[in-house]
């Protein structure tokens, strides 16, 4: 639509969804349906899917839907799903057509996904419906003076699996009792990722010699990169592995200008050119979760925009984590700050002093991060023990 790539993908995806539903109509396989807004929410569903499909003799059929083009494009080939598709726009007619074709045995929504037309149809058909890794806060529409219509939707769920006691207490104030505090499945997921982390020879070479201070910065935007560039100019003994949130050429060119060309792209790295730079730019996707383990301190981007990205991916490796000021809507970031492993910054002076502190004390701070992650594991087990499979 008007040249906007994501809008065009969304329109094309809605067309493909109709084709998928026509092909599925009448197959009577009764899959378990997972719906995630985008790739981040899908990662919260993933531990549950992988456990459900671990038994090869009794593997249920799995269908995964996305609303976001970015989620669909990244996970459309997910091997454990029998079908990955866009969720048709949430009209009453579309909800009826979708459920008529799919005939799910149960529906599992992730975190913030509340689609009235689908929830009402699922309840009408007595299909068990769950919310996993839910988080509820007083500012949400459910809890506004006019929010009673929205609160009624929550009773469409068979069970609400929430991340914390605060969510449960808030819901109970409004007589919503179909609630279990299970925690957040992301902790299980990042722990699993860390155990399966890939060895990356070019990065192992880049971080040499042993003892070199290395910062790994993930999902960064230009305001984040400006802080990092200034810090490196003032700390000539430090190296940086930079994984920007966007890797299109315009952004990579801006990074080139910011670092005055003194970096190597990951896709162009050789044993020779890695010896002569202190900045390695990751210009590909899918590696960040494995790359964090090569640093002593992490910086997670997005905190000078709408909100920070995933702080758990570096924390699971036992790293102190720095991020910008827009983090207070993220429970895990607040808890990292509370335990001393998360260091929020507002301006360059904060960044420089906090990074100095993180690098000098990375073992002690990293131990706090690991302890926090370990304390939050087990959400997947709690959810599976309470699903009607």
């Amino acid at each position: 639509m008007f040249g906007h790539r994501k809008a065009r993908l969304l329109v094309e995806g809605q067309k493909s969804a109709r084709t998928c539903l026509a092909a599925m109509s009448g197959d009577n396989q009764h899959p378990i349906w997972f719906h995630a807004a985008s790739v981040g929410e899908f990662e919260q569903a993933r531990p549950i899917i992988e456990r459900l499909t671990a038994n090869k003799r009794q593997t249920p059929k799995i269908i995964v839907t996305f609303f976001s083009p970015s989620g669909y494009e990244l996970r459309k080939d997910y091997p454990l799903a029998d079908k990955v598709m866009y969720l048709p726009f949430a009209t009453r007619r579309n909800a009826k057509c979708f459920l008529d074709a799919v005939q799910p045995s149960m529906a599992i929504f992730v975190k913030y996904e509340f689609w009235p037309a689908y929830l009402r149809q699922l309840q009408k058909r007595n299909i068990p419906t769950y919310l996993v890794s839910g988080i509820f806060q007083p500012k949400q529409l459910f809890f506004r003076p006019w929010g009673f219509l929205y609160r009624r939707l929550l009773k469409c769920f068979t069970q609400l699996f929430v991340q914390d006691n605060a969510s449960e207490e808030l819901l109970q104030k409004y007589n919503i009792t179909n609630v279990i505090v299970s925690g957040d499945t992301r902790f299980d997921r990042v722990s699993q990722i860390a155990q399966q982390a890939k060895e990356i020879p070019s990065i192992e070479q880049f971080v040499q010699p042993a003892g070199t201070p290395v910062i790994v910065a993930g999902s960064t935007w230009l305001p984040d990169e400006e802080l990092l560039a200034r810090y490196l100019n003032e700390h000539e003994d430090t190296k940086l592995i930079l994984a920007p949130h966007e890797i299109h050429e315009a952004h990579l060119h801006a990074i080139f200008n910011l670092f005055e060309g003194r970096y190597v792209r990951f896709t162009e790295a050789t044993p020779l050119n890695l010896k002569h730079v202190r900045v390695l730019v990751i210009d590909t996707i899918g590696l960040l979760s494995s790359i964090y383990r090569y640093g002593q301190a992490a910086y997670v981007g997005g905190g000078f925009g709408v909100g920070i990205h995933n702080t758990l991916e570096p924390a699971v490796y036992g790293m102190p984590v720095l991020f910008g000021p827009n983090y207070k809507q993220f429970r895990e970031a607040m808890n990292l700050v509370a335990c001393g492993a998360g260091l929020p910054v507002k301006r360059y002076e904060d960044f420089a002093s906090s990074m100095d502190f993180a690098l000098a004390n990375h073992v002690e701070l990293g131990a706090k991060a690991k302890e926090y992650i370990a304390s939050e594991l087990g959400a997947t087990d709690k959810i599976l023990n309470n699903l009607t499979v």
Side-chain angles (χ1 to χ4, degrees), residues 102-283:
V102 175
Q103 298 183 33
S105 60
M106 75 170 63
I108 298 176
F109 294 79
V110 184
K111 196 174 182 179
Y112 290 134
E113 291 302 282
F114 308 101
W115 296 95
Y118 284 99
L119 290 173
R120 291 183 184 122
Q121 279 295 313
L122 286 162
Q123 185 183 47
K124 185 176 180 180
R125 298 171 188 229
N126 295 315
I127 297 171
T129 303
Y130 302 92
L131 181 75
V132 299
S133 296
I135 188 86
F136 291 90
Q137 299 166 339
K139 65 182 180 180
Q140 289 171 301
L141 286 173
F142 305 109
F143 312 113
R144 298 295 177 88
W146 60 88
F148 68 95
L149 290 174
Y150 296 99
R151 289 196 295 275
R152 286 171 60 183
L153 289 175
L154 299 180
K155 295 191 177 183
C156 293
F157 288 96
T158 307
Q159 202 76 60
L160 299 164
F161 294 101
V162 298
Q163 294 185 23
D164 56 17
N165 292 325
S167 294
E168 181 186 36
E169 291 167 7
L170 179 60
L171 290 164
Q172 286 181 342
K173 283 183 182 179
Y174 293 90
N175 198 32
I176 299 165
T177 59
N178 53 330
V179 183
I180 293 176
V181 179
S182 62
D184 187 350
T185 53
R186 281 185 302 167
F187 290 86
D188 298 332
R189 178 61 185 154
V190 296
S191 179
Q192 180 187 43
I193 289 171
Q195 293 169 16
Q196 300 171 350
K198 307 169 185 174
E199 293 184 0
I200 308 172
S202 58
I203 294 182
E204 290 178 359
Q205 179 191 344
F206 174 74
V207 299
Q208 297 302 319
T212 301
V214 178
I215 302 167
V216 181
S219 302
T220 58
W221 300 81
L222 194 57
D224 307 306
E225 291 147 9
E226 289 170 348
L227 296 178
L228 291 157
R230 182 174 173 183
Y231 186 84
L232 249 67
N233 283 337
E234 296 176 3
H235 296 77
E236 294 184 356
D237 63 333
T238 303
K239 290 185 176 183
L240 170 65
I241 302 172
L242 180 67
H245 185 69
E246 295 183 339
I247 57 172
H248 55 71
E249 286 301 319
H251 190 195
L252 292 173
H253 184 69
I255 294 171
F256 180 89
N257 290 335
L258 192 61
F259 289 95
E260 299 176 345
R262 297 193 296 267
Y263 73 74
V264 169
R265 290 193 189 189
F266 178 77
T267 56
E268 298 173 354
T270 67
L272 181 60
N273 61 25
L274 285 173
K275 292 180 180 179
H276 303 291
V277 294
R278 293 191 296 125
V279 181
L280 177 62
V281 175
I282 308 302
D283 57 345

Side-chain angles (χ1 to χ4, degrees), residues 211-214 293 295-298 314-322 339-343 354-372:
T212 301
V214 178
R293 66 194 177 109
Q296 285 83 50
V316 75
Y317 292 110
M319 301 175 70
V321 187
L322 282 72
C339 76
L343 304 172
S354 293
M355 186 60 77
D356 288 345
F357 179 72
L359 289 170
N361 299 278
H362 67 91
V363 174
E364 177 187 348
L365 299 181
K368 293 178 180 179
K370 265 196 166 180
E371 183 179 344
Y372 168 59

Side-chain angles (χ1 to χ4, degrees), residues 6-28:
K6 284 190 176 179
R8 175 174 51 79
L9 287 172
L10 184 60
V11 171
E12 291 173 355
Q14 289 293 313
K15 291 179 182 177
S16 71
R18 291 194 290 271
T19 303
C20 286
L21 291 180
M24 294 174 66
S25 183
D27 65 10
N28 296 316

